[in-house]
Amino acid sequence: MNVLLFGATGMVGQGVLRESLLDPDVQNVLSIGRSLTGQRHPKLRELVHTDFLDFSALEPQMKGFDACFFCLGVSSAGMPEERYQRVTYDITMAAARTVARLNPGMTFIYVSGLGTDSTERGRVMWARVKGKTENALMKLPFKARYMFRPGFIQPLRGIRSKTRLYRAIYIIMGPIYPLIKVLFPKYVTTTEELGRAMIKVAKQGAPKSVLENWDINRI
Ligand SMILES: NC(=O)c1ccc[n+]([C@@H]2O[C@H](COP(=O)([O-])OP(=O)(O)OC[C@H]3O[C@@H](n4cnc5c(N)ncnc54)[C@H](OP(=O)(O)O)[C@@H]3O)[C@@H](O)[C@H]2O)c1
């Protein structure tokens, strides 16, 4: 399986990159990011790109992929809706439209989040924008597309969030993660479980398109 990865420098992306490099069924990973991951591996190639609303210059290199793991995203904390929408909706759709056109047999996996609002009309801004993004992705001509909605993600194996706020939260919560996982198993996952679930769904599919945190852990 050839994998195209967005957001490989982030917490979720680092997790699925690690699992992809370990998985014998993944032959190649191409990461497209604003910066390099700092990792070296025979399976990994990286492209540094600046304009995430226009991928035309990279198109020749974006062909021939079986799966796309889209882990690029930002926290909405303190962000006006217009800016949050530009990253969450505009960038995602620019990338997704390009890869759908170039890879008709592709499975596209989008990481949204627990509480995403599919009605696009609720009061929570981030949930509305993620819902709009999921709904638009569902209409693209991929072989299959899955919306992953993790809840609280425990970073494992030295993986760190790029978001300062999250890093602080993870440091504070670190010691009590095992307790949180026991108390709220439906809402907590790990970078490892999430990464492995994405790969498994890309290989084998899943019975439904929207996968909540508990589905991810079960997979
Ligand atoms: N962390 C959680 O607990 C959690 C829970 C549920 C859902 N999620 C969702 O999972 C996704 C990934 O989250 P994460 O925790 O991995 O975030 P993260 O650690 O902050 O990483 C974000 C990734 O997105 C890239 N990115 C952000 N803005 C960009 C832009 N304008 N242009 C290009 N690349 C950009 C970053 O690249 P740079 O390295 O260049 O900044 C980085 O690779 C998000 O959509 C988030 O909502 C996260």
Side-chain angles (χ1 to χ4, degrees), residues 5 12-23 39 41 43 156-159 191-192 195-196 199:
L5 174 58
V12 173
Q14 288 171 63
V16 71
L17 174 59
R18 180 179 186 277
E19 299 309 318
S20 299
L21 297 178
L22 288 171
D23 192 306
Q39 295 217 36
H41 193 282
K43 286 188 197 178
L156 297 179
R157 316 261 181 195
I159 287 172
T191 46
E192 211 167 85
R196 285 188 191 167
I199 294 167

Side-chain angles (χ1 to χ4, degrees), residues 6-14 32-36 49-50 52 70-76 79 84 86-88 91 110-114 126 130 148-154 160-164 166-167 170 177 194:
F6 290 86
T9 52
M11 191 180 98
V12 173
Q14 288 171 63
I32 298 181
R34 289 190 292 197
S35 58
L36 296 170
H49 190 55
T50 44
F52 276 69
F70 199 89
C71 312
L72 185 161
V74 277
S75 162
S76 65
M79 217 184 242
Y84 182 68
R86 197 159 57 235
V87 178
T88 304
I91 287 183
Y110 177 60
V111 182
S112 57
L114 182 75
W126 75 261
K130 287 273 198 195
F148 272 53
R149 294 183 175 178
F152 201 61
I153 306 169
Q154 179 183 10
R160 296 176 76 218
S161 174
K162 289 290 291 224
T163 309
R164 199 182 299 164
Y166 287 178
R167 275 205 303 276
Y170 293 128
Y177 261 120
L194 182 53

Side-chain angles (χ1 to χ4, degrees), residues 78-96:
M79 217 184 242
E81 178 160 353
E82 195 191 331
R83 248 182 79 205
Y84 182 68
Q85 171 142 318
R86 197 159 57 235
V87 178
T88 304
Y89 182 84
D90 296 351
I91 287 183
T92 305
M93 293 312 295

Side-chain angles (χ1 to χ4, degrees), residues 159-191:
I159 287 172
R160 296 176 76 218
S161 174
K162 289 290 291 224
T163 309
R164 199 182 299 164
L165 171 70
Y166 287 178
R167 275 205 303 276
I169 293 171
Y170 293 128
I171 290 167
I172 296 162
M173 306 272 297
I176 55 167
Y177 261 120
L179 180 63
I180 301 174
K181 193 137 198 218
V182 170
L183 292 176
F184 308 104
K186 281 175 76 176
Y187 304 108
V188 181
T189 190
T190 66
T191 46

